[in-house]
Amino acid sequence: MAARKTSVLLFFFMFLALSSAFPRNKNKYKPCKHLVLFFHDILYNGKNAANATSAIVAAPEGANLTILAPQNHFGNIVVFDDPITLDNNLHSKPVGRAQGMYIYDTKNTFTSWLAFSFALNSTDYQGSINFIGFDPILIKTRDISVVGGTGDFFMHRGIATINTDAFEGEVYFRLKVDIKFYECW
Amino acid sequence: MAARKTSVLLFFFMFLALSSAFPRNKNKYKPCKHLVLFFHDILYNGKNAANATSAIVAAPEGANLTILAPQNHFGNIVVFDDPITLDNNLHSKPVGRAQGMYIYDTKNTFTSWLAFSFALNSTDYQGSINFIGFDPILIKTRDISVVGGTGDFFMHRGIATINTDAFEGEVYFRLKVDIKFYECW
Amino acid sequence: MAARKTSVLLFFFMFLALSSAFPRNKNKYKPCKHLVLFFHDILYNGKNAANATSAIVAAPEGANLTILAPQNHFGNIVVFDDPITLDNNLHSKPVGRAQGMYIYDTKNTFTSWLAFSFALNSTDYQGSINFIGFDPILIKTRDISVVGGTGDFFMHRGIATINTDAFEGEVYFRLKVDIKFYECW
């Protein structure tokens, strides 16, 4: 376990040198709406039932549901219900929930695949935003698709740039999500 | 169990007072195509193999696959293959199948997260419609995104308003899906 | 097992007669970008850990994770990380990875439901393409939705026509994916 964590950190710092995945063709268009939000994921590990906001619900043969699977967690599906905040403080008043799932999706490195929604319920925004995409988590910033929205985000489309703002071992991580809508209605 | 069901009903009637989730900004645009369909979900509970149209396939640690998980079913993934009908009768001739999955996605209330397709095969419509979204099931009407389509729904986008038209305990529910396409091709 | 495989083949050849699912309304528009790619899936069966590119991670009650579930695999969720190639040769240099999941989604025939991304990283293309859709695998060609993209596929939408180019039993299949973008940015 300790060796694995060290190698994760090593990879992490190696890849921080790269500024972003797929950087081409990004600054040509101007967003019609722009939002920066944070969400916080606390993974259930068998001991933190009260605080956990996500749980491993599927794993390949031989793995279990309280420890992430051995080969870079390949095959784990995690269901989450994470608080969304306006700043990077886990204890700030949530403005909504991030719900859906992530999959650990590579055998020889750490990547995830995301399908989820933001359900925002604040004085500023009421509505949902739907996301799908490939997330190479060891790269500093990653782009995923905003495929639709409802309420204040009726029919919106765009790109969300994700950045792992902080993490603690394999239990807590915080994502900064920079949402640029290029199609507003 | 009985206590839990009562509290579900209680919540249900409390929330029926609210007319819809995220009601703002809905009536500004006129749909280019409009469809109302029903689909019917019969959840496998270990005894109804012949009739069941869906099955729990993933659950958090400690839960099993024939009873929905204890904390508001948080973490359950259900795969479904549900008949779609033109009216609210389960026994009407199906015009297609609703296929995909739903996730129970909140620890302290009942919500689901949806990713699925309608595959329509009738004299009126041939094609598929793809949906994704957050579904707070205790609220009367909920909006999700129509993110694409094929065949007669080639490249379509829109909003689907979902309404739990009927349910029987935790085994059967019927959803009315009011699909408004705002982008037709 | 042998009987089941024979019936699969029988269905397969019966359906090959049909040219495609939902053929109407397809040739009215001209794509703004066109890509043909192949991806290769090797399902983990308990013995091929080194070569496998996908794994069953969820199954209905009574099924296990090294053999596909009995009723046409209904309810199995498979997570994959498959190499993408420019031609139909598994051993060609990959130009990216296909990552996400497929669900076997009908009790009385073979269909799947797809949600995945192409992450392309070649001299020609850098970026991701996100797909979702119903996939009746016994029909020769099937259309799914391209719901978004990033990098070189920034904000793109389109239709992907999928064709099972080859398969070996229940362990290997190769899909030809003909991606037609109708919305380019």
Side-chain angles (χ1 to χ4, degrees), chain B residues 49 52 57 65-66 80-81 99-101 117 130 149 152 154-155 157 185, chain C residues 22 24 29 58-59 61 75 101 105-107 113 132 134 145 157 159:
Chain B
V57 302
L65 300 179
T66 50
F80 60 94
D81 170 23
Q99 298 196 333
M101 62 174 186
S117 304
N130 299 313
D152 290 344
F154 176 86
M155 292 288 288
R157 290 177 69 231
W185 282 61
Chain C
F22 315 133
R24 301 198 300 210
Y29 298 95
E61 224 273 313
M101 63 173 186
D105 211 347
T106 308
K107 280 163 81 178
W113 185 85
I132 181 171
F134 163 69
S145 290
R157 289 177 68 232
I159 300 285

PDB file of all heavy atoms in Angstrom, chain B residues 49 52 57 65-66 80-81 99-101 117 130 149 152 154-155 157 185, chain C residues 22 24 29 58-59 61 75 101 105-107 113 132 134 145 157 159:
ATOM      1  N   ALA B  49     -39.023 -13.405 -11.295  1.00  0.00           N
ATOM      2  CA  ALA B  49     -38.124 -13.493 -12.447  1.00  0.00           C
ATOM      3  C   ALA B  49     -38.865 -13.400 -13.780  1.00  0.00           C
ATOM      4  O   ALA B  49     -38.395 -12.768 -14.732  1.00  0.00           O
ATOM      5  CB  ALA B  49     -37.313 -14.780 -12.382  1.00  0.00           C
ATOM      6  N   ALA B  52     -40.206  -9.557 -14.137  1.00  0.00           N
ATOM      7  CA  ALA B  52     -39.310  -8.428 -13.868  1.00  0.00           C
ATOM      8  C   ALA B  52     -38.725  -7.882 -15.160  1.00  0.00           C
ATOM      9  O   ALA B  52     -38.394  -8.628 -16.077  1.00  0.00           O
ATOM     10  CB  ALA B  52     -38.202  -8.855 -12.930  1.00  0.00           C
ATOM     11  N   VAL B  57     -28.000  -4.539  -9.999  1.00  0.00           N
ATOM     12  CA  VAL B  57     -26.770  -5.225 -10.388  1.00  0.00           C
ATOM     13  C   VAL B  57     -25.556  -4.746  -9.604  1.00  0.00           C
ATOM     14  O   VAL B  57     -24.488  -5.342  -9.687  1.00  0.00           O
ATOM     15  CB  VAL B  57     -26.488  -5.102 -11.907  1.00  0.00           C
ATOM     16  CG1 VAL B  57     -27.651  -5.677 -12.704  1.00  0.00           C
ATOM     17  CG2 VAL B  57     -26.205  -3.666 -12.313  1.00  0.00           C
ATOM     18  N   LEU B  65     -28.505  -8.039  -3.690  1.00  0.00           N
ATOM     19  CA  LEU B  65     -29.065  -7.683  -4.997  1.00  0.00           C
ATOM     20  C   LEU B  65     -30.547  -8.016  -5.160  1.00  0.00           C
ATOM     21  O   LEU B  65     -31.092  -7.880  -6.250  1.00  0.00           O
ATOM     22  CB  LEU B  65     -28.249  -8.336  -6.115  1.00  0.00           C
ATOM     23  CG  LEU B  65     -26.757  -7.942  -6.173  1.00  0.00           C
ATOM     24  CD1 LEU B  65     -26.052  -8.668  -7.300  1.00  0.00           C
ATOM     25  CD2 LEU B  65     -26.573  -6.436  -6.325  1.00  0.00           C
ATOM     26  N   THR B  66     -31.203  -8.463  -4.078  1.00  0.00           N
ATOM     27  CA  THR B  66     -32.649  -8.677  -4.201  1.00  0.00           C
ATOM     28  C   THR B  66     -33.458  -7.731  -3.324  1.00  0.00           C
ATOM     29  O   THR B  66     -34.685  -7.719  -3.404  1.00  0.00           O
ATOM     30  CB  THR B  66     -33.046 -10.134  -3.872  1.00  0.00           C
ATOM     31  OG1 THR B  66     -32.458 -10.508  -2.630  1.00  0.00           O
ATOM     32  CG2 THR B  66     -32.580 -11.087  -4.959  1.00  0.00           C
ATOM     33  N   PHE B  80     -32.251  -1.681 -16.598  1.00  0.00           N
ATOM     34  CA  PHE B  80     -33.642  -1.938 -16.975  1.00  0.00           C
ATOM     35  C   PHE B  80     -33.832  -2.105 -18.470  1.00  0.00           C
ATOM     36  O   PHE B  80     -33.047  -1.606 -19.267  1.00  0.00           O
ATOM     37  CB  PHE B  80     -34.577  -0.850 -16.429  1.00  0.00           C
ATOM     38  CG  PHE B  80     -34.296   0.545 -16.889  1.00  0.00           C
ATOM     39  CD1 PHE B  80     -34.960   1.097 -17.993  1.00  0.00           C
ATOM     40  CD2 PHE B  80     -33.402   1.349 -16.197  1.00  0.00           C
ATOM     41  CE1 PHE B  80     -34.733   2.403 -18.402  1.00  0.00           C
ATOM     42  CE2 PHE B  80     -33.160   2.663 -16.598  1.00  0.00           C
ATOM     43  CZ  PHE B  80     -33.822   3.182 -17.703  1.00  0.00           C
ATOM     44  N   ASP B  81     -34.877  -2.823 -18.802  1.00  0.00           N
ATOM     45  CA  ASP B  81     -35.318  -3.056 -20.183  1.00  0.00           C
ATOM     46  C   ASP B  81     -36.837  -3.008 -20.114  1.00  0.00           C
ATOM     47  O   ASP B  81     -37.500  -4.041 -20.024  1.00  0.00           O
ATOM     48  CB  ASP B  81     -34.816  -4.423 -20.657  1.00  0.00           C
ATOM     49  CG  ASP B  81     -35.443  -4.830 -21.975  1.00  0.00           C
ATOM     50  OD1 ASP B  81     -35.897  -3.945 -22.723  1.00  0.00           O
ATOM     51  OD2 ASP B  81     -35.505  -6.051 -22.248  1.00  0.00           O
ATOM     52  N   GLN B  99     -34.127   1.426 -22.245  1.00  0.00           N
ATOM     53  CA  GLN B  99     -33.000   0.624 -21.773  1.00  0.00           C
ATOM     54  C   GLN B  99     -31.884   1.513 -21.235  1.00  0.00           C
ATOM     55  O   GLN B  99     -31.617   2.576 -21.768  1.00  0.00           O
ATOM     56  CB  GLN B  99     -32.465  -0.258 -22.898  1.00  0.00           C
ATOM     57  CG  GLN B  99     -33.504  -1.255 -23.399  1.00  0.00           C
ATOM     58  CD  GLN B  99     -32.899  -2.381 -24.224  1.00  0.00           C
ATOM     59  OE1 GLN B  99     -31.859  -2.202 -24.825  1.00  0.00           O
ATOM     60  NE2 GLN B  99     -33.540  -3.534 -24.238  1.00  0.00           N
ATOM     61  N   GLY B 100     -31.228   1.040 -20.218  1.00  0.00           N
ATOM     62  CA  GLY B 100     -30.132   1.778 -19.606  1.00  0.00           C
ATOM     63  C   GLY B 100     -30.094   1.491 -18.131  1.00  0.00           C
ATOM     64  O   GLY B 100     -30.345   0.359 -17.716  1.00  0.00           O
ATOM     65  N   MET B 101     -29.803   2.517 -17.344  1.00  0.00           N
ATOM     66  CA  MET B 101     -29.680   2.282 -15.907  1.00  0.00           C
ATOM     67  C   MET B 101     -30.168   3.471 -15.089  1.00  0.00           C
ATOM     68  O   MET B 101     -30.195   4.591 -15.567  1.00  0.00           O
ATOM     69  CB  MET B 101     -28.231   2.001 -15.556  1.00  0.00           C
ATOM     70  CG  MET B 101     -27.320   3.145 -15.868  1.00  0.00           C
ATOM     71  SD  MET B 101     -25.664   2.786 -15.241  1.00  0.00           S
ATOM     72  CE  MET B 101     -24.926   4.362 -15.607  1.00  0.00           C
ATOM     73  N   SER B 117     -31.767   5.072 -22.882  1.00  0.00           N
ATOM     74  CA  SER B 117     -32.228   5.335 -24.242  1.00  0.00           C
ATOM     75  C   SER B 117     -33.646   4.827 -24.410  1.00  0.00           C
ATOM     76  O   SER B 117     -34.030   3.831 -23.790  1.00  0.00           O
ATOM     77  CB  SER B 117     -31.343   4.595 -25.255  1.00  0.00           C
ATOM     78  OG  SER B 117     -29.987   4.942 -25.087  1.00  0.00           O
ATOM     79  N   ASN B 130     -31.699   9.540 -26.564  1.00  0.00           N
ATOM     80  CA  ASN B 130     -30.773   9.314 -25.449  1.00  0.00           C
ATOM     81  C   ASN B 130     -30.916  10.380 -24.367  1.00  0.00           C
ATOM     82  O   ASN B 130     -30.902  11.564 -24.661  1.00  0.00           O
ATOM     83  CB  ASN B 130     -29.339   9.267 -25.977  1.00  0.00           C
ATOM     84  CG  ASN B 130     -29.155   8.130 -26.960  1.00  0.00           C
ATOM     85  OD1 ASN B 130     -29.578   7.014 -26.696  1.00  0.00           O
ATOM     86  ND2 ASN B 130     -28.574   8.403 -28.119  1.00  0.00           N
ATOM     87  N   GLY B 149     -30.130  11.793 -30.546  1.00  0.00           N
ATOM     88  CA  GLY B 149     -31.060  10.815 -31.066  1.00  0.00           C
ATOM     89  C   GLY B 149     -30.583  10.295 -32.405  1.00  0.00           C
ATOM     90  O   GLY B 149     -29.645  10.844 -33.002  1.00  0.00           O
ATOM     91  N   ASP B 152     -35.422   8.660 -36.755  1.00  0.00           N
ATOM     92  CA  ASP B 152     -36.359   9.786 -36.834  1.00  0.00           C
ATOM     93  C   ASP B 152     -35.992  10.912 -35.872  1.00  0.00           C
ATOM     94  O   ASP B 152     -36.543  12.011 -35.985  1.00  0.00           O
ATOM     95  CB  ASP B 152     -37.776   9.314 -36.510  1.00  0.00           C
ATOM     96  CG  ASP B 152     -38.331   8.426 -37.608  1.00  0.00           C
ATOM     97  OD1 ASP B 152     -37.769   8.424 -38.720  1.00  0.00           O
ATOM     98  OD2 ASP B 152     -39.338   7.725 -37.355  1.00  0.00           O
ATOM     99  N   PHE B 154     -32.767  11.876 -35.416  1.00  0.00           N
ATOM    100  CA  PHE B 154     -31.415  12.224 -35.857  1.00  0.00           C
ATOM    101  C   PHE B 154     -30.962  13.569 -35.297  1.00  0.00           C
ATOM    102  O   PHE B 154     -31.576  14.595 -35.592  1.00  0.00           O
ATOM    103  CB  PHE B 154     -31.441  12.254 -37.391  1.00  0.00           C
ATOM    104  CG  PHE B 154     -30.152  12.695 -38.046  1.00  0.00           C
ATOM    105  CD1 PHE B 154     -29.136  11.778 -38.312  1.00  0.00           C
ATOM    106  CD2 PHE B 154     -29.955  14.025 -38.411  1.00  0.00           C
ATOM    107  CE1 PHE B 154     -27.968  12.185 -38.932  1.00  0.00           C
ATOM    108  CE2 PHE B 154     -28.778  14.433 -39.034  1.00  0.00           C
ATOM    109  CZ  PHE B 154     -27.787  13.515 -39.295  1.00  0.00           C
ATOM    110  N   MET B 155     -29.941  13.554 -34.453  1.00  0.00           N
ATOM    111  CA  MET B 155     -29.286  14.782 -33.942  1.00  0.00           C
ATOM    112  C   MET B 155     -30.191  15.649 -33.065  1.00  0.00           C
ATOM    113  O   MET B 155     -29.822  16.776 -32.708  1.00  0.00           O
ATOM    114  CB  MET B 155     -28.722  15.626 -35.092  1.00  0.00           C
ATOM    115  CG  MET B 155     -27.555  15.002 -35.825  1.00  0.00           C
ATOM    116  SD  MET B 155     -26.036  15.010 -34.831  1.00  0.00           S
ATOM    117  CE  MET B 155     -25.603  16.745 -34.845  1.00  0.00           C
ATOM    118  N   ARG B 157     -32.078  17.317 -29.900  1.00  0.00           N
ATOM    119  CA  ARG B 157     -31.845  17.604 -28.492  1.00  0.00           C
ATOM    120  C   ARG B 157     -33.111  18.195 -27.878  1.00  0.00           C
ATOM    121  O   ARG B 157     -33.951  18.745 -28.580  1.00  0.00           O
ATOM    122  CB  ARG B 157     -30.707  18.608 -28.295  1.00  0.00           C
ATOM    123  CG  ARG B 157     -29.331  18.062 -28.624  1.00  0.00           C
ATOM    124  CD  ARG B 157     -28.281  19.147 -28.482  1.00  0.00           C
ATOM    125  NE  ARG B 157     -28.110  19.507 -27.095  1.00  0.00           N
ATOM    126  CZ  ARG B 157     -28.150  20.771 -26.623  1.00  0.00           C
ATOM    127  NH1 ARG B 157     -28.339  21.792 -27.433  1.00  0.00           N
ATOM    128  NH2 ARG B 157     -28.005  21.007 -25.330  1.00  0.00           N
ATOM    129  N   TRP B 185     -33.756  18.256 -36.665  1.00  0.00           N
ATOM    130  CA  TRP B 185     -32.938  18.326 -37.881  1.00  0.00           C
ATOM    131  C   TRP B 185     -33.755  17.848 -39.071  1.00  0.00           C
ATOM    132  O   TRP B 185     -34.732  17.127 -38.927  1.00  0.00           O
ATOM    133  CB  TRP B 185     -31.690  17.454 -37.722  1.00  0.00           C
ATOM    134  CG  TRP B 185     -30.627  18.112 -36.894  1.00  0.00           C
ATOM    135  CD1 TRP B 185     -30.738  18.510 -35.599  1.00  0.00           C
ATOM    136  CD2 TRP B 185     -29.303  18.471 -37.304  1.00  0.00           C
ATOM    137  NE1 TRP B 185     -29.577  19.077 -35.184  1.00  0.00           N
ATOM    138  CE2 TRP B 185     -28.677  19.065 -36.209  1.00  0.00           C
ATOM    139  CE3 TRP B 185     -28.601  18.341 -38.514  1.00  0.00           C
ATOM    140  CZ2 TRP B 185     -27.369  19.536 -36.265  1.00  0.00           C
ATOM    141  CZ3 TRP B 185     -27.303  18.789 -38.568  1.00  0.00           C
ATOM    142  CH2 TRP B 185     -26.696  19.393 -37.463  1.00  0.00           C
TER     143      TRP B 185
ATOM    144  N   PHE C  22     -33.115   1.346 -37.797  1.00  0.00           N
ATOM    145  CA  PHE C  22     -33.590   2.710 -37.981  1.00  0.00           C
ATOM    146  C   PHE C  22     -32.946   3.407 -39.184  1.00  0.00           C
ATOM    147  O   PHE C  22     -32.245   4.404 -39.039  1.00  0.00           O
ATOM    148  CB  PHE C  22     -33.332   3.543 -36.721  1.00  0.00           C
ATOM    149  CG  PHE C  22     -33.691   2.832 -35.462  1.00  0.00           C
ATOM    150  CD1 PHE C  22     -32.822   2.827 -34.392  1.00  0.00           C
ATOM    151  CD2 PHE C  22     -34.906   2.164 -35.333  1.00  0.00           C
ATOM    152  CE1 PHE C  22     -33.157   2.188 -33.213  1.00  0.00           C
ATOM    153  CE2 PHE C  22     -35.245   1.514 -34.152  1.00  0.00           C
ATOM    154  CZ  PHE C  22     -34.359   1.530 -33.095  1.00  0.00           C
ATOM    155  N   ARG C  24     -34.161   5.189 -41.644  1.00  0.00           N
ATOM    156  CA  ARG C  24     -34.750   6.395 -42.220  1.00  0.00           C
ATOM    157  C   ARG C  24     -33.995   7.666 -41.847  1.00  0.00           C
ATOM    158  O   ARG C  24     -33.390   7.738 -40.790  1.00  0.00           O
ATOM    159  CB  ARG C  24     -36.205   6.533 -41.737  1.00  0.00           C
ATOM    160  CG  ARG C  24     -37.072   5.343 -42.114  1.00  0.00           C
ATOM    161  CD  ARG C  24     -38.545   5.638 -42.045  1.00  0.00           C
ATOM    162  NE  ARG C  24     -39.011   6.045 -40.738  1.00  0.00           N
ATOM    163  CZ  ARG C  24     -40.252   5.811 -40.285  1.00  0.00           C
ATOM    164  NH1 ARG C  24     -41.115   5.134 -41.039  1.00  0.00           N
ATOM    165  NH2 ARG C  24     -40.627   6.225 -39.110  1.00  0.00           N
ATOM    166  N   TYR C  29     -28.300  14.921 -44.538  1.00  0.00           N
ATOM    167  CA  TYR C  29     -27.265  15.898 -44.175  1.00  0.00           C
ATOM    168  C   TYR C  29     -25.879  15.371 -44.524  1.00  0.00           C
ATOM    169  O   TYR C  29     -25.654  14.166 -44.566  1.00  0.00           O
ATOM    170  CB  TYR C  29     -27.332  16.200 -42.681  1.00  0.00           C
ATOM    171  CG  TYR C  29     -28.631  16.815 -42.258  1.00  0.00           C
ATOM    172  CD1 TYR C  29     -29.669  16.019 -41.760  1.00  0.00           C
ATOM    173  CD2 TYR C  29     -28.844  18.187 -42.360  1.00  0.00           C
ATOM    174  CE1 TYR C  29     -30.879  16.582 -41.385  1.00  0.00           C
ATOM    175  CE2 TYR C  29     -30.043  18.763 -41.984  1.00  0.00           C
ATOM    176  CZ  TYR C  29     -31.054  17.951 -41.494  1.00  0.00           C
ATOM    177  OH  TYR C  29     -32.247  18.512 -41.128  1.00  0.00           O
ATOM    178  N   ALA C  58     -20.380  -5.864 -12.715  1.00  0.00           N
ATOM    179  CA  ALA C  58     -21.669  -5.938 -12.042  1.00  0.00           C
ATOM    180  C   ALA C  58     -22.525  -6.964 -12.754  1.00  0.00           C
ATOM    181  O   ALA C  58     -22.405  -7.175 -13.962  1.00  0.00           O
ATOM    182  CB  ALA C  58     -22.360  -4.576 -12.037  1.00  0.00           C
ATOM    183  N   ALA C  59     -23.395  -7.618 -11.970  1.00  0.00           N
ATOM    184  CA  ALA C  59     -24.214  -8.700 -12.508  1.00  0.00           C
ATOM    185  C   ALA C  59     -25.437  -8.843 -11.623  1.00  0.00           C
ATOM    186  O   ALA C  59     -25.394  -8.482 -10.444  1.00  0.00           O
ATOM    187  CB  ALA C  59     -23.418 -10.002 -12.512  1.00  0.00           C
ATOM    188  N   GLU C  61     -28.368 -10.784  -9.348  1.00  0.00           N
ATOM    189  CA  GLU C  61     -28.323 -11.823  -8.316  1.00  0.00           C
ATOM    190  C   GLU C  61     -28.137 -13.210  -8.944  1.00  0.00           C
ATOM    191  O   GLU C  61     -28.800 -13.558  -9.910  1.00  0.00           O
ATOM    192  CB  GLU C  61     -29.675 -11.804  -7.584  1.00  0.00           C
ATOM    193  CG  GLU C  61     -29.583 -11.902  -6.097  1.00  0.00           C
ATOM    194  CD  GLU C  61     -29.553 -13.339  -5.648  1.00  0.00           C
ATOM    195  OE1 GLU C  61     -30.387 -14.112  -6.151  1.00  0.00           O
ATOM    196  OE2 GLU C  61     -28.713 -13.673  -4.787  1.00  0.00           O
ATOM    197  N   GLY C  75     -28.161  -7.532 -17.527  1.00  0.00           N
ATOM    198  CA  GLY C  75     -27.732  -6.948 -16.268  1.00  0.00           C
ATOM    199  C   GLY C  75     -26.227  -6.846 -16.082  1.00  0.00           C
ATOM    200  O   GLY C  75     -25.767  -6.172 -15.177  1.00  0.00           O
ATOM    201  N   MET C 101     -18.253   2.038 -20.470  1.00  0.00           N
ATOM    202  CA  MET C 101     -18.914   0.789 -20.084  1.00  0.00           C
ATOM    203  C   MET C 101     -19.958   0.365 -21.104  1.00  0.00           C
ATOM    204  O   MET C 101     -20.481   1.183 -21.841  1.00  0.00           O
ATOM    205  CB  MET C 101     -19.581   0.962 -18.731  1.00  0.00           C
ATOM    206  CG  MET C 101     -20.663   1.999 -18.746  1.00  0.00           C
ATOM    207  SD  MET C 101     -21.527   2.005 -17.157  1.00  0.00           S
ATOM    208  CE  MET C 101     -22.796   3.175 -17.580  1.00  0.00           C
ATOM    209  N   ASP C 105     -28.443  -5.635 -22.095  1.00  0.00           N
ATOM    210  CA  ASP C 105     -29.656  -4.972 -21.640  1.00  0.00           C
ATOM    211  C   ASP C 105     -30.994  -5.535 -22.137  1.00  0.00           C
ATOM    212  O   ASP C 105     -31.989  -4.824 -22.155  1.00  0.00           O
ATOM    213  CB  ASP C 105     -29.539  -3.477 -21.963  1.00  0.00           C
ATOM    214  CG  ASP C 105     -30.277  -2.602 -20.964  1.00  0.00           C
ATOM    215  OD1 ASP C 105     -31.069  -3.144 -20.191  1.00  0.00           O
ATOM    216  OD2 ASP C 105     -30.066  -1.401 -20.960  1.00  0.00           O
ATOM    217  N   THR C 106     -31.035  -6.803 -22.546  1.00  0.00           N
ATOM    218  CA  THR C 106     -32.325  -7.401 -22.874  1.00  0.00           C
ATOM    219  C   THR C 106     -32.343  -8.838 -22.369  1.00  0.00           C
ATOM    220  O   THR C 106     -31.330  -9.532 -22.454  1.00  0.00           O
ATOM    221  CB  THR C 106     -32.590  -7.385 -24.400  1.00  0.00           C
ATOM    222  OG1 THR C 106     -32.397  -6.063 -24.889  1.00  0.00           O
ATOM    223  CG2 THR C 106     -34.018  -7.802 -24.725  1.00  0.00           C
ATOM    224  N   LYS C 107     -33.484  -9.283 -21.825  1.00  0.00           N
ATOM    225  CA  LYS C 107     -33.551 -10.631 -21.266  1.00  0.00           C
ATOM    226  C   LYS C 107     -33.681 -11.713 -22.331  1.00  0.00           C
ATOM    227  O   LYS C 107     -33.197 -12.824 -22.150  1.00  0.00           O
ATOM    228  CB  LYS C 107     -34.736 -10.754 -20.290  1.00  0.00           C
ATOM    229  CG  LYS C 107     -34.432 -10.191 -18.911  1.00  0.00           C
ATOM    230  CD  LYS C 107     -35.692  -9.952 -18.117  1.00  0.00           C
ATOM    231  CE  LYS C 107     -36.208 -11.237 -17.482  1.00  0.00           C
ATOM    232  NZ  LYS C 107     -37.432 -10.948 -16.668  1.00  0.00           N
ATOM    233  N   TRP C 113     -26.153  -1.582 -24.194  1.00  0.00           N
ATOM    234  CA  TRP C 113     -26.336  -0.148 -24.028  1.00  0.00           C
ATOM    235  C   TRP C 113     -24.974   0.430 -23.719  1.00  0.00           C
ATOM    236  O   TRP C 113     -24.245  -0.098 -22.881  1.00  0.00           O
ATOM    237  CB  TRP C 113     -27.330   0.137 -22.899  1.00  0.00           C
ATOM    238  CG  TRP C 113     -27.637   1.589 -22.764  1.00  0.00           C
ATOM    239  CD1 TRP C 113     -28.572   2.296 -23.461  1.00  0.00           C
ATOM    240  CD2 TRP C 113     -26.990   2.527 -21.903  1.00  0.00           C
ATOM    241  NE1 TRP C 113     -28.539   3.611 -23.086  1.00  0.00           N
ATOM    242  CE2 TRP C 113     -27.581   3.784 -22.135  1.00  0.00           C
ATOM    243  CE3 TRP C 113     -25.969   2.435 -20.964  1.00  0.00           C
ATOM    244  CZ2 TRP C 113     -27.179   4.935 -21.460  1.00  0.00           C
ATOM    245  CZ3 TRP C 113     -25.562   3.578 -20.294  1.00  0.00           C
ATOM    246  CH2 TRP C 113     -26.175   4.812 -20.537  1.00  0.00           C
ATOM    247  N   ILE C 132     -23.103   7.888 -26.478  1.00  0.00           N
ATOM    248  CA  ILE C 132     -24.124   7.230 -25.663  1.00  0.00           C
ATOM    249  C   ILE C 132     -25.148   6.635 -26.608  1.00  0.00           C
ATOM    250  O   ILE C 132     -25.457   7.224 -27.643  1.00  0.00           O
ATOM    251  CB  ILE C 132     -24.745   8.223 -24.645  1.00  0.00           C
ATOM    252  CG1 ILE C 132     -25.788   7.582 -23.753  1.00  0.00           C
ATOM    253  CG2 ILE C 132     -25.315   9.426 -25.297  1.00  0.00           C
ATOM    254  CD1 ILE C 132     -26.241   8.500 -22.611  1.00  0.00           C
ATOM    255  N   PHE C 134     -28.155   3.115 -27.554  1.00  0.00           N
ATOM    256  CA  PHE C 134     -28.721   1.763 -27.597  1.00  0.00           C
ATOM    257  C   PHE C 134     -28.062   1.029 -28.756  1.00  0.00           C
ATOM    258  O   PHE C 134     -27.990   1.544 -29.863  1.00  0.00           O
ATOM    259  CB  PHE C 134     -30.231   1.904 -27.804  1.00  0.00           C
ATOM    260  CG  PHE C 134     -30.934   0.665 -28.272  1.00  0.00           C
ATOM    261  CD1 PHE C 134     -31.072  -0.428 -27.429  1.00  0.00           C
ATOM    262  CD2 PHE C 134     -31.480   0.597 -29.554  1.00  0.00           C
ATOM    263  CE1 PHE C 134     -31.743  -1.573 -27.863  1.00  0.00           C
ATOM    264  CE2 PHE C 134     -32.157  -0.537 -29.985  1.00  0.00           C
ATOM    265  CZ  PHE C 134     -32.284  -1.623 -29.138  1.00  0.00           C
ATOM    266  N   SER C 145     -25.435   8.041 -30.529  1.00  0.00           N
ATOM    267  CA  SER C 145     -25.225   9.488 -30.546  1.00  0.00           C
ATOM    268  C   SER C 145     -23.805   9.856 -30.114  1.00  0.00           C
ATOM    269  O   SER C 145     -23.291   9.299 -29.150  1.00  0.00           O
ATOM    270  CB  SER C 145     -26.200  10.176 -29.584  1.00  0.00           C
ATOM    271  OG  SER C 145     -27.510  10.107 -30.077  1.00  0.00           O
ATOM    272  N   ARG C 157     -20.845  17.353 -32.333  1.00  0.00           N
ATOM    273  CA  ARG C 157     -21.915  16.367 -32.183  1.00  0.00           C
ATOM    274  C   ARG C 157     -22.054  15.590 -33.483  1.00  0.00           C
ATOM    275  O   ARG C 157     -21.661  16.064 -34.546  1.00  0.00           O
ATOM    276  CB  ARG C 157     -23.267  17.029 -31.865  1.00  0.00           C
ATOM    277  CG  ARG C 157     -23.332  17.611 -30.470  1.00  0.00           C
ATOM    278  CD  ARG C 157     -24.670  18.304 -30.251  1.00  0.00           C
ATOM    279  NE  ARG C 157     -25.747  17.335 -30.224  1.00  0.00           N
ATOM    280  CZ  ARG C 157     -26.862  17.412 -30.970  1.00  0.00           C
ATOM    281  NH1 ARG C 157     -27.058  18.416 -31.792  1.00  0.00           N
ATOM    282  NH2 ARG C 157     -27.778  16.482 -30.893  1.00  0.00           N
ATOM    283  N   ILE C 159     -23.252  11.376 -35.289  1.00  0.00           N
ATOM    284  CA  ILE C 159     -23.797  10.025 -35.208  1.00  0.00           C
ATOM    285  C   ILE C 159     -22.658   9.053 -35.466  1.00  0.00           C
ATOM    286  O   ILE C 159     -21.859   9.256 -36.380  1.00  0.00           O
ATOM    287  CB  ILE C 159     -24.893   9.806 -36.285  1.00  0.00           C
ATOM    288  CG1 ILE C 159     -26.055  10.788 -36.122  1.00  0.00           C
ATOM    289  CG2 ILE C 159     -25.378   8.356 -36.298  1.00  0.00           C
ATOM    290  CD1 ILE C 159     -27.006  10.510 -34.987  1.00  0.00           C
TER     291      ILE C 159
END
